[in-house]
Amino acid sequence: MLNIPEKKELHNFSYLNKTQIDLDLNREWLITNGLGSYASGTLSGTLTRRYHGLFVVAQTPPLGRILFVSKIEEEIIFSNKKFLLSSNKWGGSENIFPNGYLHINSFYLDEDIPTWLYQCEDVLLEKKIFFEHEKNSIYITYKILSDNTPNDLKIICKVFVNNRDFHGLNREINVFSKIEDKSIRFLNKNGNLLFSAYTNFSNSSVDDTIYYNYLLEEERQRGFSFVENHKCAAIFSENISKFNDNLQIIISTEKDVDKNWKNVLQKLRNKNRENLFKFSQNNYTPHWIRQIHYAAHHFIVRRESKTDKNAKSILAGYHWFGDWGRDTFISLNGICCATGQYSTAKSILENYAKYIDAGMIPNRFPDYGENPDYNTADASLWYIEAVANYLKHTQDLDFLKSIFSTLEEIIESYFYGTRYNIKCDLKDGLIYAGEENLQLTWMDAKADGIVFTPRIGKPIEINALWYNALKNMNQYALLLCKENNFYSELIRQVENNFNKYWNEDFQYCFDVIDGPNGNDISLRPNQLIALSLKYCPLEYKQKKCIIDICGKELVTYFGVRSLAKSSNQYKGRCYGNYFARDSAYHQGTAWSWLLGVYAIAYFKQTQNASVAISFLEPLGKHINEYGIGFISEIFDGDAPFIARGCIAQAWSIAETLRAWKFLSSKLDPLKLENPLI
C-alpha cells in the first residue's frame, strides 16, 4: 500500500504532479540559509545552470560563493531491480540518462521545504532538503512511505563534489575525500578541510571517480560555456527495510553540527509560522501569497560590519546577484516592513548608512571584497523612501533622530552635486544625472561598451523620488524642531516645474527631460513609480491618462513592459546570448516588480481595490512555473510571456507582498493603516 499524502493535507501551496514534471524538466527549486549560501537545481535533478548545486557556500557572507557539492544521485535496489532516481544531460547527446525524473510521483513545497516523492513500483520514497538557518549545514532526509517494504530494499546515495567559484566552470576538481571519526572529510589539494558529511547510513565509502561532460542547457541557451565535470567523492548505502526512521545526510562547514534533523526542521517551521502570523494578523491570506511570504525570508542575509556581526542586507536575486543598494531599498518595505520584520529593516538601514559616500549609497558590493560601486543616481533616494516606510510602520523617533544627519548629507550632496554629474538644476529644482557611457538608473543594461538606456538628463522617477525625499525631510525637520525653509522652498520649486514632464501631444509623461537630445518621448513605466509614491505633483487628469495608456500598452499578465511595443527600439523576447539579452533587458522586457507598482498606482487613481489587487493574481499561477514558490525577475514582453532571468528576485516578491498588503487592507473598511509620522 502506498501512503501518498493528499494535496489538501500538505502544508504547501506549490504542488506539481508527475505529469506536470514530465512536461517541463526545467522547473527549479531553491533554498537558502540567511548567509548567502544556497542549494538549487531542477525538479528533475538535471543540472542546467553553472549556478546549480546542492551546497553553494558564501565564504564571506553574503558573497564569495563556492560550489562544493553539485548533487546527490540516489539509487533504489530491490528484487534484483535497480531504479536510478537521478537525471543528467550529457555533452554530445540530447538524451537524458538516467531518466530518474520518470520515477518522480510528485514534488511540493512543505511550507518552503522542497519535497520529492519517488515511486518505484510499490515503493514510495520521500526526500526533503533544508538548511539550518544562518549555518552552513544542509540536511537531506529520506523516508519510505509505503507499507510492506521489500526485505531487500536498499538505497545508495552518491555525493558529487566540486570546488569552484559559482560563476565559473571547473578545469580540474581539487577535492579529495577521506573517512574520519564517523564522517567523511572533503579536502582541497593542500589538505585543508573544505567541508564534511555526516550520516546515519550504515555504510560509507570514499570514491574518486570523475564524471565528464554534464551538459548545462541554460548556459548553452545564454551563449556561455556549457559543459562541466563533477567528481563522485563519497557513497552511502543502507538497507531501508531494517530502518524505522528517516535516513539523513548532513553536509556542513560548521565545527559544531546539530545532528538532530527534526530539531532543525522544527525551528524552521516555527520561524516560518511566526513570520506568517506577523504578516497575516489572523486575516485571510490566499495560499499563493502565503507561499511568496515564505519565500521573502530567503533574500534576507547577514552582512557583518565592524560594529555589528549580525547586521543584515537583502540579496537582489538568485542565483547570481549580490546585495545591490537600489534593489535592497526598493525591496525593504515588502520584504521587511510589510512582513513585520522591523528590527531587520532597521539593521539594514543602519548598516548601509555606514557605506554612504558623497551622499551616495553603494549600488553593489563586488563578490570578492573590492571597494563598493557607487554608480547609481537613485539608490540614495530609494534609501530615504525606505526610511519613510520604516518610520510609517514603527513611529521610531529615536531612529529618526539618529539617521537625520545622514539623510541631510544625501539631500545636500544631490543639491550641490556629487559623482557622475548628479546635481540639482537651480533653475527648476529638479535632479540632473548622467554622463556619456554610464547607466545610472535602474534601467542599467550595458554590453560591449554600449549603454542601451543611458537616460542622461532628468529621469522622471529620479525626480519623483527627489520630490518625496524633500517632502519627507520637511516633515522630519518640523518634527525634530529643525529649520525647514530649505526644504519647503525647494518643494515649491519642484511642484512648479514638475509639469515639464507632461507630454500634451501624447497624453503621458516624457521619460527623461532636458537630455542631450531634448525630451525622451518613449512610453516607459517609470512614470508609474511617480504615481505610486505617497506624494505626486501631477494633476488628476494627467494621472488618469497615465494609468489608462500604461494599462493598455505596458501591463501584461506577469509584469509591466519596460518599453511600449509601438517603439522602434522594442524587443519582445529577452533571449539568446548576453548581448541579445542585455539589449532587450529594458527595451520591452516585462518586469514583475512593476506590477505591484502599477496596482498601487491604479488604486490611488481609482480607489478600486478589488480591480487593483486582481492585477497581482496571475502571479499566483506563475509561482509553479519557473522558480517554484518564487517570482521571477523578468518575462518576455510578447506572449506567451515566458519567464526569464533570475528564478527568484527580491523586488518581485517584495512589491507583490507590499501591494497585496496595502490593497487587501482597502478591501476591509474597518482596517486602517498606521498613521504616518
Side-chain angles (χ1 to χ4, degrees):
M1 177 180 177
L2 300 180
N3 298 321
I4 301 175
E6 294 184 9
K7 182 179 178 182
K8 64 182 180 181
E9 296 175 347
L10 301 173
H11 297 290
N12 74 285
F13 313 109
S14 294
Y15 182 98
L16 297 172
N17 60 32
K18 176 177 173 54
T19 301
Q20 291 170 303
I21 294 169
D22 288 352
L23 289 174
D24 185 358
L25 300 180
N26 296 319
R27 288 183 168 104
E28 298 173 61
W29 59 274
L30 168 73
I31 55 172
T32 72
N33 71 345
L35 297 175
S37 305
Y38 71 83
S40 181
T42 64
L43 305 193
S44 68
T46 308
L47 301 173
T48 64
R49 300 184 190 272
R50 67 185 64 204
Y51 300 102
H52 282 160
L54 184 65
F55 195 50
V56 182
V57 177
Q59 302 283 280
T60 53
L63 303 176
R65 286 165 282 190
I66 302 296
L67 171 65
F68 281 145
V69 179
S70 52
K71 64 191 308 190
I72 291 178
E73 297 197 345
E74 299 91 358
E75 301 175 5
I76 294 287
I77 302 173
F78 62 90
S79 303
N80 294 319
K81 300 176 184 177
K82 179 183 287 190
F83 300 86
L84 305 179
L85 305 186
S86 60
S87 299
N88 294 306
K89 198 169 187 179
W90 304 97
S93 171
E94 294 301 313
N95 296 325
I96 293 178
F97 179 84
N99 53 5
Y101 70 92
L102 296 174
H103 297 299
I104 300 176
N105 174 286
S106 58
F107 170 89
Y108 64 92
L109 294 181
D110 183 357
E111 295 182 351
D112 62 342
I113 298 163
T115 304
W116 289 259
L117 298 180
Y118 294 95
Q119 185 173 349
C120 303
E121 294 185 353
D122 290 335
V123 172
L124 192 70
L125 175 70
E126 176 193 80
K127 178 174 75 172
K128 290 183 182 292
I129 303 178
F130 51 92
F131 269 106
E132 184 175 6
H133 183 59
E134 293 195 343
K135 297 285 186 180
N136 282 317
S137 297
I138 193 167
Y139 296 73
I140 306 95
T141 67
Y142 303 93
K143 185 177 182 179
I144 295 295
L145 300 182
S146 46
D147 295 333
N148 303 317
T149 304
N151 291 330
D152 61 346
L153 178 61
K154 184 177 183 180
I155 182 172
I156 299 174
C157 295
K158 298 180 178 180
V159 181
F160 286 77
V161 303
N162 217 308
N163 180 18
R164 62 160 173 83
D165 177 87
F166 84 138
H167 288 304
L169 295 177
N170 66 321
R171 295 182 179 177
E172 55 182 330
I173 303 173
N174 294 314
V175 183
F176 306 91
S177 53
K178 68 176 183 177
I179 297 177
E180 182 179 309
D181 298 330
K182 296 182 180 180
S183 66
I184 294 184
R185 308 293 188 181
F186 299 87
L187 315 171
N188 65 15
K189 63 181 179 180
N190 297 319
N192 299 319
L193 179 65
L194 298 173
F195 58 96
S196 302
Y198 310 88
T199 184
N200 58 0
F201 282 69
S202 297
N203 304 299
S204 302
S205 62
V206 297
D207 195 6
D208 196 33
T209 304
I210 296 177
Y211 287 62
Y212 293 92
N213 298 329
Y214 288 86
L215 192 154
L216 308 178
E217 184 60 40
E218 280 295 318
E219 300 303 319
R220 179 164 67 172
Q221 297 292 341
R222 291 165 64 85
F224 297 126
S225 298
F226 57 87
V227 177
E228 172 91 293
N229 307 325
H230 297 289
K231 177 188 284 188
C232 178
I235 301 174
F236 305 115
S237 63
E238 181 65 68
N239 189 322
I240 305 182
S241 62
K242 298 178 182 179
F243 208 91
N244 296 319
D245 200 358
N246 290 58
L247 290 164
Q248 68 173 7
I249 298 172
I250 307 169
I251 301 170
S252 178
T253 63
E254 304 290 339
K255 293 181 179 179
D256 298 317
V257 179
D258 190 340
K259 306 292 179 54
N260 187 340
W261 67 267
K262 293 181 180 178
N263 179 54
V264 173
L265 185 58
Q266 190 57 50
K267 287 180 180 178
L268 292 177
R269 295 196 193 285
N270 292 343
K271 185 175 185 295
N272 271 343
R273 292 166 188 178
E274 178 184 351
N275 289 339
L276 183 60
F277 179 78
K278 292 177 183 177
F279 178 77
S280 299
Q281 297 180 346
N282 295 323
N283 293 324
Y284 169 72
T285 304
H287 288 171
W288 74 276
I289 289 291
R290 293 191 200 182
Q291 194 64 66
I292 64 169
H293 178 273
Y294 292 139
H297 80 86
H298 288 287
F299 299 95
I300 298 172
V301 292
R302 186 193 298 172
R303 173 169 281 283
E304 183 176 327
S305 68
K306 293 180 180 180
T307 57
D308 185 359
K309 292 184 177 181
N310 294 310
K312 304 297 183 185
S313 187
I314 293 176
L315 275 185
Y318 293 94
H319 303 90
W320 48 81
F321 280 117
D323 48 339
W324 290 41
R326 173 193 297 118
D327 297 59
T328 293
F329 296 112
I330 291 176
S331 301
L332 185 137
N333 193 26
I335 294 289
C336 298
C337 293
T339 61
Q341 299 183 72
Y342 305 126
S343 61
T344 300
K346 183 177 181 179
S347 172
I348 294 169
L349 291 167
E350 291 178 331
N351 198 21
Y352 267 83
K354 299 168 186 174
Y355 293 98
I356 291 176
D357 184 86
M360 296 182 71
I361 290 283
N363 189 35
R364 64 182 288 270
F365 295 94
D367 277 329
Y368 297 102
E370 303 98 318
N371 294 326
D373 293 334
Y374 293 89
N375 56 350
T376 166
D378 55 352
S380 295
L381 300 176
W382 280 115
Y383 179 87
I384 297 178
E385 185 67 16
V387 168
N389 283 312
Y390 169 76
L391 293 173
K392 177 185 74 173
H393 285 91
T394 65
Q395 314 292 306
D396 188 346
L397 189 59
D398 289 337
F399 172 75
L400 175 59
K401 292 177 181 177
S402 69
I403 206 71
F404 186 77
S405 61
T406 299
L407 304 182
E408 283 185 312
E409 178 188 348
I410 293 172
I411 296 296
E412 290 173 3
S413 297
Y414 271 61
F415 182 78
Y416 292 109
T418 185
R419 296 176 178 89
Y420 311 122
N421 210 18
I422 299 171
K423 61 185 178 182
C424 181
D425 184 339
L426 300 182
K427 296 190 296 292
D428 57 15
L430 300 176
I431 296 297
Y432 183 99
E435 296 176 352
E436 189 175 354
N437 296 321
L438 283 176
Q439 65 283 16
L440 298 179
T441 72
W442 78 274
M443 292 185 164
D444 58 358
K446 181 178 182 179
D448 293 347
I450 298 175
V451 178
F452 297 106
T453 49
R455 305 184 73 222
I456 297 172
K458 300 171 183 174
I460 186 168
E461 82 281 7
I462 299 293
N463 281 288
L465 288 163
W466 171 243
Y467 178 64
N468 276 262
L470 295 173
K471 293 280 284 187
N472 285 319
M473 289 297 289
N474 184 62
Q475 199 172 10
Y476 301 156
L478 291 173
L479 189 64
L480 299 178
C481 299
K482 296 179 180 291
E483 175 60 48
N484 73 317
N485 286 340
F486 171 81
Y487 301 112
S488 59
E489 291 176 4
L490 197 49
I491 287 168
R492 284 193 291 271
Q493 189 179 16
V494 173
E495 288 174 341
N496 290 335
N497 289 287
F498 204 86
N499 205 52
K500 291 168 64 176
Y501 283 101
W502 184 246
N503 184 334
E504 185 64 29
D505 293 335
F506 291 91
Q507 294 292 290
Y508 59 79
C509 286
F510 293 110
D511 187 57
V512 180
I513 60 174
D514 297 345
N517 299 313
N519 297 340
D520 184 355
I521 64 170
S522 302
L523 176 56
R524 295 188 183 273
N526 300 302
Q527 56 199 298
L528 293 172
I529 296 173
L531 269 61
S532 70
L533 296 171
K534 182 184 177 185
Y535 306 107
C536 180
L538 293 171
E539 298 174 2
Y540 172 83
K541 290 183 179 179
Q542 294 171 336
K543 295 176 185 177
K544 184 179 185 305
C545 289
I546 292 170
I547 289 294
D548 290 345
I549 195 165
C550 288
K552 179 181 179 181
E553 302 292 338
L554 300 181
V555 176
T556 71
Y557 284 117
F558 304 122
V560 180
R561 294 186 182 100
S562 46
L563 181 65
K565 297 182 75 170
S566 57
S567 171
N568 292 332
Q569 303 300 316
Y570 176 81
K571 297 181 184 297
R573 297 182 69 208
C574 190
Y575 182 79
N577 63 27
Y578 78 95
F579 189 90
R581 294 194 312 275
D582 283 353
S583 66
Y585 205 41
H586 299 108
Q587 300 288 66
T589 296
W591 291 75
S592 49
W593 78 276
L594 290 171
L595 207 55
V597 171
Y598 180 77
I600 290 174
Y602 181 92
F603 171 78
K604 287 179 176 287
Q605 177 62 29
T606 66
Q607 299 298 302
N608 191 329
S610 60
V611 171
I613 210 168
S614 71
F615 293 116
L616 307 174
E617 291 172 353
L619 293 171
K621 176 178 180 292
H622 163 68
I623 65 171
N624 279 338
E625 294 181 337
Y626 195 49
I628 306 303
F630 292 89
I631 298 177
S632 307
E633 177 190 13
I634 55 176
F635 299 80
D636 285 345
D638 287 348
F641 312 116
I642 296 172
R644 308 286 189 185
C646 281
I647 66 168
Q649 195 76 0
W651 59 15
S652 302
I653 293 285
E655 285 298 272
T656 304
L657 286 175
R658 179 175 80 97
W660 189 90
K661 183 85 168 180
F662 172 77
L663 295 169
S664 63
S665 72
K666 303 305 179 182
L667 294 173
D668 180 0
L670 298 178
K671 182 179 180 183
L672 300 176
E673 286 192 308
N674 291 330
L676 303 185
I677 288 181

